[in-house]
Amino acid sequence: MFKRTQKKGQDSHRIILFTSSKIKAILSESQQEQTPLTNKQAEALKQYLEVFSKELEIRTKFHEELLTTKKRGRQLTETKRVVFSLRETDQTSGDALAYLKEKMDILIREKEDLALKFLSFKEQLLSDAVSDMRDLVQNLLTEIVFVDTDEWEEDLDYYRTRFLMQKEQEEDEELKDEFIPDQDRLDLEIHEETLDELIPSEELAKEKITILLSKKHYQQLNPLTKDYNLLITKIPGAFLFEVLETPFEELKVKLKQQEALSFDTGKELYALKREQGILSLKTYEIIQTIRSRLLNISGSIASKKFLRNAFNELIIAARNEQIPITAKKAELLKIITRLLRIIGELKPGED
């Protein structure tokens, strides 16, 4: 009696198996924790796993297509958001470019007009025919009427916020380095994405069961359970029922449908990625022009404060009766030279 019990104990083996409705049906007979599978259960389980092994390639492909489609779908949603933003930026930047060009042209004409007036004043100042410095300065300042830029401020503030007050360097480099992707690169991006990032914590949908069985049944079932378990460890919980429980003939039809859906999703994603690359390069160059014009316009507007200060110095110098005519001319010449530098007509070191 003792020897038979010992032999039976030595003949017991364990396998751990992920469950499914079909496996639960096979093991539906009352199963005590320490009771090995019956011959009937073991044979039914063997047949099921053998069939599953033959279907493994197709079920694996179906799982991979489900996973790829879901990943591509998520990338498509994100890419649509990015492209929509780039389209909006393209439209906004186009409007901004036209608006700022108009204002820049106005300021350029104003600067050219000022340059002519300052140079004419300088020429008259250097003439021996000048007798009254006060009239000369008064005539100059009377002719100067600045463009009213106050009404521009609301629009300029919007464009400054939109195009200047953002993280420039990092975003610019990303835009500058963006390029139109090829299909191999897209596929690589898709397959490099990890399952955990895609579907967190869905492993909770899977159940395992420990099965006791004889040595004979263990030798038959153990190799079959490895491929079965390995596939299930790779399948997200959301796909588990569809991959395992769909009848094989129906699954082959679904696989073709899923491949077509995955292809169409990838095709749309690829087209949007191309558009993203094109828009990124386009908007990068436009935005650099916008930023340059914004800075030039802001600098030109700010320089008017320095011009007005210099105008006051011209008036004071012209009215100063305490210095001789030669010294007064020299002082006025010094101020008008500074005015020419402020508007960019003269570079540092030029007279």
Side-chain angles (χ1 to χ4, degrees):
M1 186 73 175
F2 174 77
K3 289 183 179 179
R4 284 198 299 270
T5 303
Q6 182 70 18
K7 182 177 181 181
K8 182 179 179 180
Q10 290 175 343
D11 198 35
S12 295
H13 295 268
R14 297 172 185 267
I15 59 171
I16 297 175
L17 195 65
F18 284 105
T19 60
S20 68
S21 62
K22 292 183 179 179
I23 288 179
K24 288 179 179 178
I26 292 171
L27 305 178
S28 60
E29 296 180 14
S30 177
Q31 173 120 15
Q32 300 299 322
E33 185 178 352
Q34 298 299 325
T35 303
L37 289 184
T38 64
N39 288 336
K40 179 182 177 182
Q41 289 173 321
E43 184 60 30
L45 183 59
K46 176 187 173 187
Q47 290 177 4
Y48 171 73
L49 292 175
E50 284 176 340
V51 171
F52 187 89
S53 179
K54 293 176 182 177
E55 299 172 353
L56 182 65
E57 182 180 356
I58 299 299
R59 292 190 183 275
T60 299
K61 284 183 179 180
F62 184 58
H63 151 250
E64 290 172 349
E65 286 301 328
L66 286 172
L67 189 62
T68 300
T69 304
K70 190 172 183 70
K71 288 177 179 179
R72 282 181 173 172
R74 195 177 76 166
Q75 284 190 316
L76 182 61
T77 299
E78 175 62 19
T79 304
K80 283 180 177 178
R81 184 191 67 78
V82 173
V83 169
F84 178 82
S85 177
L86 283 170
R87 286 172 182 168
E88 188 275 335
T89 298
D90 184 36
Q91 178 63 43
T92 306
S93 61
D95 295 341
L97 204 60
Y99 175 85
L100 296 175
K101 183 180 185 303
E102 176 191 345
K103 302 310 178 189
M104 275 292 297
D105 289 345
I106 292 172
L107 293 174
I108 288 171
R109 287 194 297 271
E110 180 183 63
K111 187 197 79 167
E112 291 172 347
D113 183 61
L114 286 173
L116 286 174
K117 287 181 170 61
F118 293 160
L119 290 170
S120 176
F121 178 87
K122 183 178 180 181
E123 185 178 344
Q124 293 177 60
L125 189 63
L126 293 174
S127 170
D128 294 335
V130 176
S131 58
D132 192 333
M133 303 292 178
R134 287 179 296 182
D135 286 346
L136 187 63
V137 170
Q138 186 62 40
N139 291 338
L140 169 66
L141 300 183
T142 301
E143 292 177 359
I144 294 175
V145 179
F146 286 126
V147 174
D148 183 6
T149 58
D150 290 343
E151 62 182 17
W152 302 359
E153 282 305 312
E154 184 176 349
D155 290 328
L156 290 175
D157 280 344
Y158 168 75
Y159 289 129
R160 288 184 190 111
T161 302
R162 181 70 178 82
F163 297 107
L164 286 179
M165 298 177 66
Q166 52 181 296
K167 296 187 299 181
E168 295 183 17
Q169 294 300 323
E170 180 179 336
E171 293 180 2
D172 284 353
E173 287 306 312
E174 288 177 1
L175 286 173
K176 192 174 181 181
D177 292 340
E178 190 70 54
F179 60 91
I180 300 172
D182 53 49
Q183 189 61 47
D184 290 340
R185 175 172 169 261
L186 263 183
D187 291 338
L188 181 62
E189 288 176 352
I190 288 168
H191 290 298
E192 281 182 344
E193 190 173 13
T194 67
L195 187 62
D196 289 340
E197 291 173 340
L198 181 66
I199 308 174
S201 72
E202 286 192 344
E203 295 297 316
L204 298 176
K206 302 174 186 178
E207 300 177 29
K208 292 180 180 179
I209 186 171
T210 300
I211 301 174
L212 284 179
L213 65 172
S214 67
K215 181 178 180 181
K216 173 186 174 182
H217 293 149
Y218 176 81
Q219 291 172 339
Q220 293 173 339
L221 291 172
N222 188 50
L224 296 172
T225 60
K226 289 182 179 179
D227 289 339
Y228 172 84
N229 282 336
L230 181 60
L231 174 61
I232 294 182
T233 59
K234 297 177 181 178
I235 302 175
F239 302 156
L240 194 61
F241 181 85
E242 194 170 8
V243 175
L244 293 184
E245 309 290 351
T246 302
F248 189 58
E249 293 303 317
E250 180 184 341
L251 184 117
K252 287 192 286 186
V253 175
K254 280 191 169 187
L255 173 59
K256 291 182 180 179
Q257 295 171 341
Q258 197 65 38
E259 287 174 337
L261 177 59
S262 178
F263 176 80
D264 290 341
T265 305
K267 185 177 178 181
E268 185 179 2
L269 174 62
Y270 178 66
L272 283 173
K273 283 287 187 182
R274 285 181 62 87
E275 184 179 358
Q276 179 183 345
I278 293 168
L279 285 174
S280 294
L281 290 172
K282 179 182 177 183
T283 55
Y284 171 79
E285 295 178 357
I286 292 176
I287 287 173
Q288 300 317 300
T289 303
I290 288 173
R291 287 174 175 167
S292 176
R293 287 183 179 175
L294 275 170
L295 291 172
N296 287 335
I297 289 173
S298 298
S300 181
I301 292 173
S303 70
K304 293 184 180 182
K305 176 181 178 182
F306 299 102
L307 292 175
R308 290 189 175 95
N309 290 339
F311 293 165
N312 290 332
E313 292 180 22
L314 282 175
I315 294 171
I316 294 170
R319 291 176 178 175
N320 190 349
E321 301 296 340
Q322 304 301 316
I323 59 175
I325 186 77
T326 303
K328 185 180 291 189
K329 277 188 176 185
E331 181 62 22
L332 292 174
L333 183 61
K334 178 181 176 183
I335 296 169
I336 204 70
T337 299
R338 187 162 77 251
L339 283 167
L340 287 166
R341 287 202 180 102
I342 289 173
I343 65 172
E345 190 67 21
L346 290 179
K347 298 295 185 288
E350 293 182 345
D351 293 326

